[in-house]
Amino acid sequence: RYLIPRQMEDHGLTENEVEIRNTAVQELIRRYTRESGVRNLEREIGSICRKVARKVLDDREQDQKTFEVITPERVHKLLGAQRFRYGIAEDKDVIGFVNGLAYTQVGGVLVPVEAAVVPGKGKLLLTGQLGNVMQESAQAALTYIRSRSEIFGLERDFYEKVDIHVHVPELGPVDGPSAGVTICTAMTSALLGIPVRRDLGMTGEITLRGRVRPIGGVKEKLLAAHRGTLAKVLIPEDNAKDLPEVPKKVRDALQIQRVNHMDQVLREALVLDDSDGLFSDLEAIRRADRQLQAPG
């Protein structure tokens, strides 16, 4: 209603000569701009209008009429290679791969978190765009997994025989307490050799005992999950108060489940067989909790 008509007027174009469809605008926003405002979006619209205006002018000189319909495919031809990517769910369940959700200066983004386990001597390797808070989240995640080693069927000293590598390949400059559950799920999946649901996203921080703590940016993160074609998202129980801020269209499209403990997260995230007894021994979980809290 505003940017396109202004750019068309500035470039001497009329509605009878060019139509920029909504799908093309969406492609511009997702693939050619990454910003909190619309300045670069207007520049890209102007670039399209300039190229269309040149063709219209050439046709006018030859007494020909031109009507350009700008579609996503036409955007690619006019502006060249895509400049940005946005997260899309994987096409299959993968071991050690989890769809995390993060809040950045340009809104919510889908952040893949990868974990791999290799023979080693107990090192926890963290690579990618990881700030101090996220590194602490990884340490807390490892402590939680160690406290559940008996339930998971791991040796008590498993962490002394392997190196665990956590990698966040596509996260921009952000560091906040919201990746604990994602990192922990990726590490657990890699250690157990059990894949994670490809259509599931999550956000939340954890304590040493596996409690899921609230986070910020719920609205933006759920928008990113919806854009990334996820089917289900896990959020902290204490963030239920933030759901009314999320557009109804997004709430209806996503299955949003609230969780308060890492055990619940893993039940939902890991692709388990019906016969798998993981997490079924509730008394063992209680014993692990008491053991973790015991002095020494």
Side-chain angles (χ1 to χ4, degrees):
R1 292 194 297 266
Y2 178 70
L3 299 180
I4 292 176
R6 187 168 77 172
Q7 288 299 318
M8 287 175 60
E9 181 180 357
D10 288 348
H11 291 85
L13 297 170
T14 69
E15 293 181 356
N16 295 326
E17 293 170 323
V18 62
E19 175 190 352
I20 301 180
R21 292 185 173 171
N22 289 340
T23 53
V25 177
Q26 185 179 68
E27 189 71 4
L28 285 172
I29 293 170
R30 291 184 174 182
R31 305 289 191 178
Y32 293 87
T33 65
R34 180 163 290 177
E35 57 184 342
S36 57
V38 294
R39 181 175 298 178
N40 289 325
L41 174 61
E42 185 170 14
R43 288 174 179 167
E44 298 300 337
I45 293 172
S47 179
I48 288 175
C49 287
R50 278 193 299 277
K51 295 181 180 183
V52 172
R54 180 181 299 174
K55 185 175 187 302
V56 169
L57 184 59
D58 291 340
D59 289 345
R60 283 177 184 172
E61 292 177 351
Q62 299 176 17
D63 294 327
Q64 296 179 0
K65 290 185 177 181
T66 299
F67 181 70
E68 279 273 349
V69 178
I70 307 302
T71 62
E73 293 74 21
R74 189 66 178 142
V75 168
H76 300 161
K77 292 180 180 179
L78 292 172
L79 298 183
Q82 302 168 5
R83 302 189 188 110
F84 301 100
R85 299 186 346 171
Y86 68 95
I88 294 290
E90 292 288 305
D91 56 2
K92 62 179 180 179
D93 304 326
V94 181
I95 295 173
F97 184 96
V98 186
N99 295 308
L101 297 167
Y103 176 70
T104 72
Q105 294 178 344
V106 294
V109 292
L110 199 63
V111 180
V113 175
E114 302 173 338
V117 177
V118 296
K121 298 181 179 180
K123 291 182 180 179
L124 178 57
L125 307 175
L126 307 172
T127 56
Q129 300 287 338
L130 287 169
N132 292 333
V133 175
M134 293 182 71
Q135 293 184 35
E136 293 174 359
S137 298
Q139 296 286 349
L142 180 57
T143 297
Y144 160 79
I145 296 172
R146 288 176 58 184
S147 75
R148 294 290 192 264
S149 59
E150 181 181 350
I151 299 166
F152 294 159
L154 298 170
E155 298 179 10
R156 293 182 63 88
D157 60 347
F158 74 91
Y159 56 92
E160 297 178 351
K161 302 176 181 178
V162 296
D163 290 343
I164 304 174
H165 188 170
V166 177
H167 184 57
V168 183
E170 296 184 18
L171 182 59
V174 64
D175 180 31
S178 66
V181 296
T182 310
I183 293 173
C184 188
T185 301
M187 292 169 60
T188 304
S189 170
L191 285 164
L192 300 182
I194 300 175
V196 178
R197 282 184 53 179
R198 63 178 179 82
D199 61 349
L200 176 76
M202 62 182 68
T203 181
E205 196 49 79
I206 63 170
T207 68
L208 295 179
R209 293 181 297 154
R211 306 300 178 189
V212 178
R213 305 299 301 161
I215 42 80
V218 171
K219 174 184 175 181
E220 292 78 6
K221 291 175 181 179
L222 292 179
L223 287 171
H226 179 252
R227 183 181 62 204
T229 68
L230 297 182
K232 186 173 184 177
V233 177
L234 307 180
I235 67 170
E237 179 72 45
D238 290 342
N239 283 115
K241 58 181 174 54
D242 299 314
L243 290 178
E245 300 177 5
V246 181
K248 185 176 184 300
K249 176 182 177 181
V250 175
R251 296 201 309 267
D252 292 342
L254 291 172
Q255 183 181 353
I256 303 171
Q257 181 164 338
R258 304 190 298 269
V259 295
N260 56 32
H261 199 280
M262 195 62 215
D263 295 340
Q264 294 174 273
V265 174
L266 294 176
R267 286 192 195 99
E268 297 297 328
L270 298 181
V271 181
L272 302 170
D273 296 332
D274 293 338
S275 59
D276 201 318
L278 198 61
F279 311 116
S280 61
D281 189 352
L282 298 180
E283 183 56 36
I285 293 177
R286 297 190 185 98
R287 288 199 304 271
D289 267 340
R290 289 196 294 269
Q291 182 180 2
L292 189 62
Q293 297 177 58

